[in-house]
Amino acid sequence: MVDCIVTSPPYYGQRDYGIDGQLGLESHPKDFIDNLSEIFSLCWDVLNETGSLWINIGDTYWSGKGAHKSGETKQGARRFGLRPQDRPGDGGWARPKQQLLVPHRLAIALQDAGWLVRNDNVWVKSNPVPDQVRDRCSVSHEYIFHLTKSRWYYFDRTDVGRTQKSGRVLPPLDTWAAKPSSGAGKHRAAFSEELVRIPILTTTPPGGIVLDPFNGSGTSMSFARKQGYRSIGIELNKEYCEHAVSHMKNLDSEDTLDLEI
């Protein structure tokens, strides 16, 4: 059983990782949300009753215009040809210019499945990918949902709270201006340690275990290890697994050197 689950699943229609069984390329966003809901139901089974689930997930728009033709360089990794949302829609969620509201649809699906939604924290990006649009605001945020199994769960704001002049510690705000990842090997959408800091430090008890079921480059694992927690990562991509293992071995070597010194 684990105490804290911190993860960022593939975003809908944003990446093709070229791995059998990957999520995010379903023909309709509802299928994507159903698949994620099934995975998080498995997370429920391994999460302690006092544990927390944190999900970072971004949104997208339905396009219906076919394959991407722009030469804008920063869009390259996200516009990999004909994406699901570039195909003709269904006239409902999937229609041109429609914001799909994937993050909140997922949160509502999990709420309906029994999860308790505690926060829809907002990650404000300092350097967002530029939107090639003329008739709406440019998107510069994502969501990090905090969910629990019940009303009573572990939460310690000591290390990340806002200290008042009186000495009283208030909880952190639900708006996070965290820097993006500075680099994580060949992973194209890596977690930032700043983004996992509040989730892990507030909801992992001493000696606790952190799980990331979409481990990627292993940011959640490595940050948890640095804080003295145990960690588990699950990842389909063998190359990302090898990168995470190498990084964890380096951390262990650094710990050994510190002990020797």
Side-chain angles (χ1 to χ4, degrees), residues 207-229:
I209 302 175
V210 176
L211 167 67
D212 187 342
F214 295 95
N215 197 53
S217 60
T219 302
S220 297
M221 289 187 71
S222 62
F223 183 83
R225 178 71 66 90
K226 291 174 186 177
Q227 305 305 314
Y229 302 121

Side-chain angles (χ1 to χ4, degrees), residues 245-258:
V245 168
S246 175
H247 185 57
M248 297 297 282
K249 286 181 177 179
N250 289 337
L251 286 179
D252 289 345
S253 296
E254 291 171 5
D255 289 343
T256 301
L257 287 174
D258 289 342

Side-chain angles (χ1 to χ4, degrees), residues 4-168:
C4 176
I5 301 175
V6 185
T7 195
S8 183
Y11 296 177
Y12 183 67
Q14 298 300 305
R15 296 284 191 281
D16 182 358
Y17 293 100
I19 301 296
D20 291 340
Q22 68 177 327
L23 302 184
L25 298 181
E26 292 84 347
S27 60
H28 194 280
K30 186 179 184 304
D31 298 328
F32 172 65
I33 291 169
D34 288 345
N35 286 337
L36 282 180
S37 297
E38 182 179 357
I39 289 172
F40 289 124
S41 72
L42 299 175
C43 288
W44 175 288
D45 294 339
V46 299
L47 183 66
N48 278 322
E49 291 301 315
T50 55
S52 287
L53 166 64
W54 301 79
I55 306 171
N56 165 226
I57 189 164
D59 206 355
T60 191
Y61 289 80
W62 196 267
S63 167
K65 292 184 177 180
H68 176 58
K69 299 178 179 65
S70 169
E72 208 285 315
T73 55
K74 284 194 174 183
Q75 293 282 1
R78 298 174 62 186
R79 303 302 298 269
F80 47 83
L82 190 65
R83 307 171 302 170
Q85 64 266 43
D86 294 327
R87 295 180 171 86
D90 62 3
W93 296 6
R95 60 184 185 182
K97 292 198 173 185
Q98 177 85 286
Q99 185 172 5
L100 295 177
L101 301 178
V102 166
H104 285 87
R105 292 185 192 277
L106 173 62
I108 291 170
L110 296 180
Q111 191 178 62
D112 290 344
W115 290 93
L116 186 66
V117 179
R118 296 296 292 131
N119 272 120
D120 57 345
N121 303 285
V122 178
W123 171 25
V124 180
K125 297 182 174 182
S126 58
N127 186 29
V129 175
D131 281 324
Q132 301 300 307
V133 294
R134 299 179 180 178
D135 56 359
R136 63 168 171 80
C137 296
S138 184
V139 176
S140 62
H141 72 283
E142 292 182 11
Y143 291 96
I144 302 94
F145 286 92
H146 178 200
L147 305 99
T148 63
K149 297 173 74 170
S150 70
R151 294 173 57 194
W152 313 112
Y153 55 94
Y154 180 85
F155 192 94
D156 185 352
R157 61 196 180 197
T158 304
D159 292 334
V160 297
R162 296 168 291 139
T163 303
Q164 304 294 294
K165 290 182 179 180
S166 64
R168 182 185 180 190

